[in-house]
Amino acid sequence: MIKHLPEGLVPFEDCRFSRVPFAPLEGEKVFVDCRSEEGVPVFHGNLNDKVMKNVPCSGIAEHHYRFELGSFEFGDRVSYWIENCAESTRVFTFDVQQEKTYRKPLHIFKGEKDVVLDFGAFEVRYADMDGMLYQTANTAGFDKGKPCEKSELELHSDFKIEFSLNFISKLKRLSNTLMTVDSFTVREKADGTITSVSQRGMLNASYVWGTGERFDHVNQRQHGSNGRVVEKFTHQGDQTYLPIPFFMTEKGFGWSGGGSIPIQLDFSNEFTMTRAVNGQQLFDDCLYFGTTKQMLSAFIKKTGKPVLPPEWAFGTWISANGWNCDDEVDAQLEALKTYDYPADVMVLEAWSDEQTFYLWNDTTHWKNPKETIEKIRAAGLHLVLWQIPILKYEWDGEPGERLLADCQEAIDKKYCIMNEDGTPYRITENWFHNSLLLDFTNPEAVKWWFDKRKYLLDLGVEGFKTDGGEFLFDHTAKLKNGMIGLEAHNAYPGQYIGAYHDFLQENGVNGVVFSRADSTGAQMRPIHWAGDQISTWEEFRAQLTAGLTAGLSGVLFWGFDIAGFAGDLPEAELYLRATAMACFSPVMQWHAEPRSGQFYATHEDGFVNDRSPWNMAEKTECENILPASVRFAKIRRAMRPYLYREAQYCVQSGRPLMAHLCLDFPEDQTACTCNDAYMLGRKLLVAPILEKGQTTRTVYLPKGRWKHCFNQNVYDGGREMQLNVPLDEIVVLERLDG
């Protein structure tokens, strides 16, 4: 095998088979790395149609090699391929580029409601429409008004934006300058084609909320986002499955970026945003004005109508990857009865064969799927099945006839995503590597895919856990709708999840899709969960951060795996504190990784790693776990009507069910800095315990009157309070006058 992908895989590690730099500038040294498992590879290249000779090769790790190409001049074109004794890569090409920085426009043109700045190589149009400021740039130009030396646009809520031949733009509110654009830097090829644009300036704000579901910080000031959908197993840090190019500030303005090409945002010192370009349009952005609630609602309205999940989705979800047969399901249904534990949703991940992922596994696991589903439904549970958007490449055994036939048909009819050269794209590395990705922009492929799954709905399945979707790495891959991989990497999860949502709706099933990856427009595809975390206090705190930031980015309905799903079982205290928070979150779910999972080596053969209350009680020998867990599940059942009413309001108004306090109390500086509490709907303030050994916590109550939901005490707000929090409780305060 030989492997080379110029753009690499993920931003948090060097895959050792990329090109560095990916898009070389004049004078930069260029290295081409590859992996070869069949001997030392050979580099073949052409520089401006002349053969490149004597390109040195060195080993950088086992089976990994580096070719040093040297530096080039602006306008040079390099094409190359790599071969070993077994195979060769396809041909790759790059053009050596140059950077140009523009710090002021050549001309300004003022129209009735817009201003156009002419920079020569491109133009930028600012237009005031519907209370928002649209900022669009392209190389084709715009219709223009009258020329002038300076201009301004009066905007919503005392904002205005000024332009001059001496600078680019200044966003002001009254006399305060809040954001500037000081320069545009573009990368371009010799023919003038712009390949990327970077905007630099100043951002006068202390708080930056949004940028997607983030695990590191609620306030992204002094931080930033690489803008890419990334699969990272546990300890996500500054990576995310769910980036959204949108942010708000406490100064009454926010921003969103158009398109699906990842946008890098840096809020450290100066404010920068950088993105690749494909075509004449450089960017299509929008500025919002008003309160945080107004800006978030406007962004959601602009990017897609939210979808309301069914009422039952706000109950308790039970799940574990180890449930792979009738006996496992029967054991869980029996436990629900034995412990009087009210549950509403059962997720089965290991239900299917391990090849097609649409056929039930063999009869040694499931004797009669129809009867199994009827049994689950008779127990009052709604069934959700795990899915993945791939046609699997079988590494561990012989592929079955059905899998081989499906793959061949998908390739022959181009139902899968294709490479630039017309061959099928295969997942480059990591999870399900070498598998095909279905092209959900191809209507015929979508019909073919779901025709194979329609029988599941007929059996009574009501939802799908749409896992994965982060696998489209190649920038040049092609989709049926004309997108290339550069644009589709972030868009693909939404295409995939949206197709499953439509499948349910078109067949009259009021069900759910439950997903971890997504991007702009996620509110049209509920529900989302925080992905993979191990069972530690640190990861628990990161889950809360993820929920708050997801909500601040337009994700209305979100959940997490109680106390993590991977690694050693959580200690009893962590499990109870996480159960309490999950009870008062949009989705309450416990889940566990495969019993032969990534951290399996710490356990003996046959160890059950379920995070169910009964298994946790047995393994930890903690007497409190079962009664406390049952109590919270019953509280959750009683809360379902409230949660559903609030969910309806969220869909109508564009508000997350789990809301940072800055949305309801934007004028309250203490509320805006509070990142360890939230509003669940409009009435309940939730303040979880996040530290080991903590039995009291400081809670900030905004102005008003608040009733403690466990001890019924009533408190006046506008102050901090120290409250006791027993292991079987959580601080939840009902707002009495809001």
Side-chain angles (χ1 to χ4, degrees), residues 56-182:
C57 175
S58 60
I60 55 176
E62 185 178 9
H63 302 307
H64 290 264
Y65 300 86
R66 166 165 288 181
F67 298 97
E68 185 174 344
L69 275 58
S71 59
F72 302 92
E73 296 181 357
F74 173 58
D76 283 345
R77 166 163 283 199
V78 177
S79 60
Y80 64 93
W81 71 99
I82 309 166
E83 67 177 4
N84 60 18
C85 61
E87 59 181 319
S88 64
T89 68
R90 68 181 191 267
V91 175
F92 302 94
T93 302
F94 65 86
D95 294 284
V96 180
Q97 303 176 37
Q98 68 176 5
E99 278 191 347
K100 288 185 178 178
T101 297
Y102 300 83
R103 292 185 170 84
K104 54 187 179 180
L106 300 174
H107 307 283
I108 300 175
F109 301 92
K110 178 71 168 73
E112 184 177 347
K113 287 190 175 182
D114 70 346
V115 172
V116 174
L117 307 184
D118 177 11
F119 292 90
F122 61 94
E123 295 179 357
V124 184
R125 178 175 181 257
Y126 297 82
D128 179 20
M129 294 185 289
D130 302 322
M132 296 178 282
L133 177 67
Y134 288 82
Q135 305 171 136
T136 309
N138 66 43
T139 57
F142 300 94
D143 293 335
K144 302 177 185 65
K146 296 180 180 180
C148 56
E149 292 189 359
K150 61 182 180 180
S151 186
E152 66 179 39
L153 289 173
E154 297 288 339
L155 305 169
H156 181 73
S157 299
D158 298 321
F159 284 90
K160 67 178 179 180
I161 186 166
E162 298 177 347
F163 311 94
S164 169
L165 291 176
N166 295 318
F167 58 84
I168 295 176
S169 69
K170 295 180 180 179
L171 178 69
K172 291 185 172 183
R173 190 170 195 178
L174 301 177
S175 60
N176 296 320
T177 300
L178 300 178
M179 185 168 70
T180 66
V181 177
D182 300 331

Side-chain angles (χ1 to χ4, degrees), residues 132 288 293-303 653-654:
M132 296 178 282
Y288 304 83
K293 185 184 297 186
Q294 290 169 338
M295 290 187 285
L296 183 59
S297 179
F299 170 67
I300 290 171
K301 183 178 180 180
K302 182 177 184 293
T303 54
S653 63

Side-chain angles (χ1 to χ4, degrees), residues 14 16 18-20 30-35 41 43 55-61 63-69:
D14 178 10
R16 295 179 176 173
S18 64
R19 183 173 66 231
V20 184
V30 180
F31 302 92
V32 170
D33 296 346
C34 73
R35 186 170 80 200
F43 180 91
V55 176
C57 175
S58 60
I60 55 176
H63 302 307
H64 290 264
Y65 300 86
R66 166 165 288 181
F67 298 97
E68 185 174 344
L69 275 58

Side-chain angles (χ1 to χ4, degrees), residues 498-517:
Y500 271 83
H501 174 74
D502 292 344
F503 172 53
L504 292 168
Q505 299 303 305
E506 289 164 3
N507 285 278
V509 178
N510 184 24
V512 295
V513 289
F514 187 49
S515 317
R516 71 176 187 187

Side-chain angles (χ1 to χ4, degrees), residues 367-384:
K367 294 181 178 60
N368 187 319
K370 183 175 185 295
E371 292 180 0
T372 298
I373 295 174
E374 288 174 351
K375 182 168 45 181
I376 292 169
R377 294 186 61 146
L381 296 167
H382 301 263
L383 180 59
V384 172

